[in-house]
Amino acid sequence: MIKAIIFDLGGVLVDLDYDACVKKFKELLGFDRITEILDKSHQKGIFGDMEEGKITSDEFRAEILKDCREGSSPEMIDECIAAFLTGMEDYKVDLLSEMSRKYDLYILSNNNPIAMTRSHKLWEEKGLDFKTVFKEEFISCEMHLMKPGQEIYREAIRRTGVKPEEILFIDDSLTNVEAAKKAGMKADLYIPGQDLRELIEAWL
């Protein structure tokens, strides 16, 4: 019996546009090395360090600005990252609101403070009260742990207070899904564009 559902964020709840983000970094900032640190799922270099909480968002911005054209600003970096997270489908807003009345909902994401601010803004624009819908957000930069490492799954399970076999985990990365199964959770792979409601209801 499923009692809690844990969602990945980018690619599952929030739509991503990798190409738009790369283009923005290059055209707005002249930062051509973006493809060396930005990945569609697992970030690298200083981007990965920010997601793991090894450096702050301010330290990340300062490092990026060293290789940007003159006149670039920290706010422009945030604008570029915002281009990665494009929006949320309306039906998912309704789905989360409905599910939150029956199940405990959580976020488990490899993510950074800049992108989280963007995600929260997107939800607010859709009228989604994320502080009510989600019981807690397990974010890599705050926990200093990363998927697919077992530690972040174990800590998330512990904080939910729910048995792992009573938790459904949904992610768009097969590696992360397999790691969740190893931690004892029910887990399924979400393919961007498929019906998230159908995927969830098949487990309930």
Side-chain angles (χ1 to χ4, degrees):
M1 179 180 177
I2 300 298
K3 294 183 178 179
I5 305 174
I6 301 179
F7 296 92
D8 177 37
L9 181 56
V12 176
L13 298 183
V14 175
D15 296 329
L16 302 178
D17 192 332
Y18 172 83
D19 293 334
C21 184
V22 169
K23 182 179 180 181
K24 197 84 168 178
F25 266 99
K26 290 182 176 181
E27 294 184 355
L28 184 63
L29 299 173
F31 185 75
D32 295 327
R33 295 195 301 107
I34 184 60
T35 53
E36 297 176 14
I37 60 174
L38 182 70
D39 188 81
K40 294 181 179 180
S41 55
H42 298 285
Q43 310 312 330
K44 301 165 284 188
I46 58 172
F47 219 123
D49 289 343
M50 178 171 60
E51 292 209 334
E52 197 170 351
K54 291 181 177 179
I55 62 173
T56 67
S57 53
D58 284 340
E59 290 170 332
F60 170 81
R61 294 184 186 100
E63 195 64 31
I64 293 292
L65 285 173
K66 292 178 182 178
D67 291 326
C68 295
R69 70 169 60 96
E70 188 175 349
S72 299
S73 68
E75 292 76 19
M76 292 164 69
I77 292 175
D78 290 10
E79 183 180 342
C80 291
I81 292 178
F84 197 10
L85 298 96
T86 59
M88 183 178 186
E89 294 179 83
D90 290 336
Y91 88 90
K92 291 181 181 178
V93 176
D94 296 334
L95 176 63
L96 291 172
S97 296
E98 292 170 22
M99 289 292 173
S100 68
R101 293 192 284 269
K102 302 175 184 177
Y103 305 92
D104 292 340
L105 304 186
Y106 300 88
I107 295 291
L108 174 56
S109 177
N110 286 348
N111 226 315
N112 63 80
I114 303 172
M116 288 307 300
T117 297
R118 167 68 171 169
S119 296
H120 291 158
K121 182 178 179 181
L122 288 172
W123 288 338
E124 289 170 351
E125 290 173 352
K126 287 287 188 178
L128 180 70
D129 185 355
F130 65 91
K131 293 180 180 179
T132 299
V133 168
F134 299 110
K135 291 199 70 174
E136 190 172 356
E137 296 177 334
F138 307 120
I139 309 301
S140 60
C141 63
E142 298 171 0
M143 298 173 72
H144 303 282
L145 298 170
M146 297 276 285
K147 296 182 294 184
Q150 283 294 294
E151 295 86 354
I152 195 168
Y153 294 98
R154 287 196 291 263
E155 179 61 15
I157 291 168
R158 184 189 70 78
R159 288 204 221 171
T160 65
V162 179
K163 296 178 181 178
E165 63 269 21
E166 296 175 337
I167 299 173
L168 173 61
F169 174 75
I170 301 171
D171 200 295
D172 63 335
S173 162
L174 182 58
T175 300
N176 293 342
V177 168
E178 293 302 323
K181 290 178 180 178
K182 186 177 179 181
M185 289 188 275
K186 303 288 194 304
D188 207 343
L189 178 68
Y190 175 77
I191 307 299
Q194 78 177 110
D195 192 317
L196 183 59
R197 183 186 290 275
E198 288 184 1
L199 183 151
I200 294 173
E201 290 181 348
W203 284 92
L204 304 178

